[in-house]
Amino acid sequence: MRLEQLRYIVEIADTGSFTAASERLFIAQPSISQAVKALEEELHITIFKRYRTGTIPTQEGRTILEHARNILKDIAEIEKLSQREYREITGSIAIGSIPTLSSLLLPAVSSSYKEVFPNVNIYFSESGSKKIVEKCLKGEIDIGLISYHGDKQPEVPQSLRIRPLFDGELAVFGGKNSPMAYRDTIAFKNLLPFPLLIYGEDFVLHAYCLEQIRRYGKPNVISMTNNPETIKKYVAQTDAIAFGPYISLKNDIYVKEKQIYPAIISDAQKIHFCLLTNQKRNLSIAVDFLIEELVKKTKNL
């Protein structure tokens, strides 16, 4: 029995197929298949049932997988103790983030993080909370930065851990010629007549806003885009309005230059910003350190 065999079967179980596991591990599929077959022959146990639609662990296989996960977790902890010289650690970290948190947290944290881990690269992509949950579940990202409103916590599998970061207020913003400009607050019912620019369906913030406005009539959605810059430029030049967390708008360059004006939505529920990780995946010392830096940064917001 070899350590890489344990890693292979855990990856196969997590991804649901030999093909997906080979792609994730950057190892040829025949090599993984041969390693698993050798392990099954050594243990005299069939670990996986192979189907056209995927791979499912047998009852004996689930027992083996539980032990394999515990072994890999213990080894990861030992590796953390041995990696005391952070500057020698190499690798990469993938982050999926909603636009608000990527602009608020990642620039400052990334620069200070590179001073400690100069050989660890950070890659991040922006999308909505729903998409980030999917990516975290599939193991495509190491850290997810998401949000939800009020008590509507996103439905996530037990394998994902949600860590609260901070709460914020929801705002709407319009251009200088908008009837809602110069207001400090406004209610959802007063937003019904306005043309709306919103993000795509996987952004829970905009789904929540549409849900609230529908209580008073049919929302006038004129466009959908996932580009915050495009939305702000359009709003600044038209009578359309858009939504965003107030914390990301109050120091925005468009607000400072008085091209757009934010107003807090008085009857909106609080926005809860959270950090998401996959409990099935062993976090490296580099990922653990980055998580703590992100948490520290939110305390200064």
Side-chain angles (χ1 to χ4, degrees), residues 32 53 60 89 118 138 143 227 270:
I32 291 182
T53 55
E60 296 88 350
I89 297 176
K138 294 177 181 178
I143 301 171
N227 190 319
K270 290 285 187 180

Side-chain angles (χ1 to χ4, degrees), residues 80-277:
K80 289 180 184 179
L81 293 175
S82 67
Q83 293 175 328
R84 297 186 184 279
E85 185 51 64
Y86 292 168
R87 299 185 68 84
E88 296 180 1
I89 297 176
T90 61
S92 61
I93 300 174
I95 302 176
S97 177
I98 59 173
T100 293
L101 293 181
S102 64
S103 61
L104 282 176
L105 302 179
L106 297 183
V109 169
S110 296
S111 58
S112 61
Y113 182 82
K114 291 294 287 185
E115 294 178 3
V116 182
F117 292 88
N119 297 311
V120 175
N121 296 317
I122 299 176
Y123 301 98
F124 70 91
S125 58
E126 291 185 338
S127 56
S129 293
K130 292 182 180 179
K131 185 66 68 176
I132 293 169
V133 169
E134 293 176 6
K135 288 183 177 181
C136 194
L137 183 61
K138 294 177 181 178
E140 296 175 2
I141 56 175
D142 300 294
I143 301 171
L145 298 172
I146 65 172
S147 68
Y148 68 94
H149 295 268
D151 57 355
K152 289 193 173 182
Q153 183 169 323
E155 295 182 3
V156 299
Q158 292 183 348
S159 60
L160 300 185
R161 178 193 177 194
I162 296 180
R163 180 172 179 173
L165 294 176
F166 64 98
D167 295 340
E169 295 178 295
L170 178 61
V172 61
F173 59 93
K176 60 184 178 182
N177 297 320
S178 171
M180 62 148 287
Y182 313 107
R183 298 186 60 162
D184 294 327
T185 62
I186 193 169
F188 273 118
K189 66 179 180 180
N190 301 125
L191 301 178
L192 183 61
F194 291 93
L196 306 177
L197 269 77
I198 62 171
Y199 286 156
E201 295 179 353
D202 61 321
F203 285 82
V204 296
L205 182 150
H206 291 259
Y208 169 75
C209 292
L210 291 179
E211 178 185 337
Q212 299 305 309
I213 294 175
R214 287 193 186 102
R215 295 163 57 194
Y216 308 102
K218 183 178 179 180
N220 180 18
V221 178
I222 60 172
S223 183
M224 296 175 66
T225 175
N226 291 351
N227 190 319
E229 190 73 11
T230 299
I231 289 180
K232 284 181 281 192
K233 282 184 178 179
Y234 193 97
V235 167
Q237 299 173 28
T238 68
D239 61 346
I241 61 173
F243 305 95
Y246 183 71
I247 193 170
S248 66
L249 290 167
K250 61 181 181 180
N251 294 318
D252 188 273
I253 186 64
Y254 283 86
V255 175
K256 290 183 176 180
E257 293 181 352
K258 299 183 177 180
Q259 296 186 54
I260 62 174
Y261 293 81
I264 293 174
I265 302 178
S266 57
D267 53 346
Q269 293 179 306
K270 290 285 187 180
I271 307 173
H272 304 292
F273 297 99
C274 309
L275 187 147
L276 192 67
T277 54

